[in-house]
Amino acid sequence: MYPTQQGSAFSIMKIALWIFIVCVLGQIIGICIFGVYFHTKLDKIEEQMEFNEDYLFLRRIQKCLKGKDVDPTLLNCQEVVAKFRSLISEVTKFDQPGEHEKLTDKRDSFTTPQVIAEPITPKTVPAVAIHLVGDKANSNKEGLQWQEKGYLTLHNQIGYTNGRVRVEVPGAYYVYSQVTFCANSTQFLKAPFVQYVYLKRENEADRILLKGANTFISQTANCALHSSQPGAIFTLRKNDLVYVRVTDPACVTYSPEYTYFGMFKVGDTS
């Protein structure tokens, strides 16, 4: 064999050797990387297992109840199930009405803390409010009459009789009233249209709480609608009566959207 051929064969062997070494090193590096990754995953799994001790405990209880194979290092299944049932029985007894004693920890080797929350009973606050709409058939100068129907008509602990709202629960109330009326040249008005909201209290003279007036009169025969809407907060006593009067009930537009009267409680008074 010529020297040139010998040198060429030696070079090929050298290259093959380097390739083999590189492959071996690659495998070693790959194994190391996989080992680090696997070790990291195991650490995460252990952390999750630590955070889920309660879940594992329940899983083992379930296995005991089903008679499946359990880790031999675990306590005897009969003892575990007996303690678990005893704990459930104590919790059930505590939940019965009239039982307010704290549970005594009788779980021996079980150290899981037990938090007992007191039941929260929501308090229902009744609505003290009323909304009435105009009653054309029965209204007069002595006072406007109203109907317990229309929009948002609700009342509890507050009453209505013969045009007057009666307070059953003392407190601070927002009283409001809107009266819409028609004024034109065919309806001669000797005085401005005035709305009064009165308070009638036992052993006292009736007094005006609110007042609204309008002096504008349309010069055409067409009806010109105007609204008077007073409202304010007052301190009212039990059995107080509130009612509305106007100077000319015949001019009032009694549609529920135009003419209404009501009040609602906004707070208590000392």
Side-chain angles (χ1 to χ4, degrees):
M1 183 177 294
Y2 297 103
T4 302
Q5 294 178 344
Q6 292 179 353
S8 176
F10 181 74
S11 297
I12 293 172
M13 291 179 64
K14 188 175 181 181
I15 293 171
L17 181 61
W18 274 108
I19 292 174
F20 175 77
I21 293 173
V22 169
C23 291
V24 172
L25 290 175
Q27 290 182 352
I28 293 173
I29 293 172
I31 292 172
C32 292
I33 293 174
F34 177 76
V36 172
Y37 173 78
F38 184 71
H39 181 72
T40 304
K41 294 295 288 185
L42 285 178
D43 289 341
K44 290 183 178 180
I45 292 174
E46 289 180 358
E47 292 178 359
Q48 293 178 356
M49 294 286 284
E50 291 177 358
F51 286 119
N52 294 317
E53 290 181 357
D54 294 339
Y55 173 76
L56 293 177
F57 174 75
L58 293 176
R59 288 289 296 170
R60 291 183 178 180
I61 290 294
Q62 186 179 28
K63 287 184 178 180
C64 285
L65 293 175
K66 291 183 177 181
K68 293 184 178 181
D69 295 334
V70 187
D71 187 349
T73 60
L74 187 66
L75 296 176
N76 182 272
C77 270
Q78 294 182 353
E79 182 180 355
V80 173
V81 172
K83 290 182 179 294
F84 182 73
R85 288 176 176 171
S86 175
L87 177 62
I88 294 298
S89 176
E90 291 179 0
V91 172
T92 304
K93 183 187 300 183
F94 181 78
D95 288 338
Q96 296 298 323
E99 295 289 338
H100 300 285
E101 295 80 11
K102 294 184 179 180
L103 292 179
T104 304
D105 189 4
K106 299 179 180 180
R107 291 171 289 176
D108 298 337
S109 59
F110 298 99
T111 58
T112 305
Q114 188 174 27
V115 179
I116 302 172
E118 295 183 358
I120 299 176
T121 303
K123 295 182 179 180
T124 303
V125 180
V128 183
I130 191 168
H131 183 91
L132 307 168
V133 297
D135 181 6
K136 180 178 180 180
N138 300 308
S139 295
N140 51 56
K141 287 189 176 182
E142 297 300 321
L144 294 182
Q145 299 295 316
W146 309 93
Q147 302 178 62
E148 295 186 82
K149 64 180 181 179
Y151 302 103
L152 297 178
T153 299
L154 60 125
H155 58 90
N156 191 350
Q157 300 183 3
I158 190 168
Y160 169 75
T161 305
N162 193 26
R164 301 180 179 187
V165 171
R166 183 181 64 258
V167 177
E168 300 290 350
V169 180
Y173 285 81
Y174 182 79
V175 180
Y176 63 92
S177 174
Q178 174 172 296
V179 175
T180 301
F181 59 96
C182 177
N184 54 40
S185 60
T186 62
Q187 293 175 328
F188 179 77
L189 299 180
K190 296 180 180 181
F193 184 91
V194 183
Q195 175 190 184
Y196 306 90
V197 179
Y198 281 90
L199 169 64
K200 181 177 180 59
R201 181 169 287 171
E202 293 180 356
N203 302 322
E204 295 183 15
D206 294 8
R207 61 188 178 95
I208 298 174
L209 295 180
L210 299 168
K211 187 176 180 179
N214 191 303
T215 59
F216 177 79
I217 301 175
S218 174
Q219 299 302 316
T220 66
N222 296 326
C223 179
L225 292 179
H226 305 281
S227 294
S228 171
Q229 188 185 49
I233 296 176
F234 299 95
T235 299
L236 301 177
R237 304 174 186 173
K238 184 176 181 180
N239 295 324
D240 280 354
L241 299 174
V242 182
Y243 62 98
V244 180
R245 283 183 180 177
V246 296
T247 53
D248 190 354
C251 295
V252 177
T253 300
Y254 289 92
S255 298
E257 302 86 352
Y258 284 132
T259 300
Y260 48 81
F261 170 48
M263 66 170 64
F264 55 88
K265 187 179 178 184
V266 296
D268 297 321
T269 54
S270 57

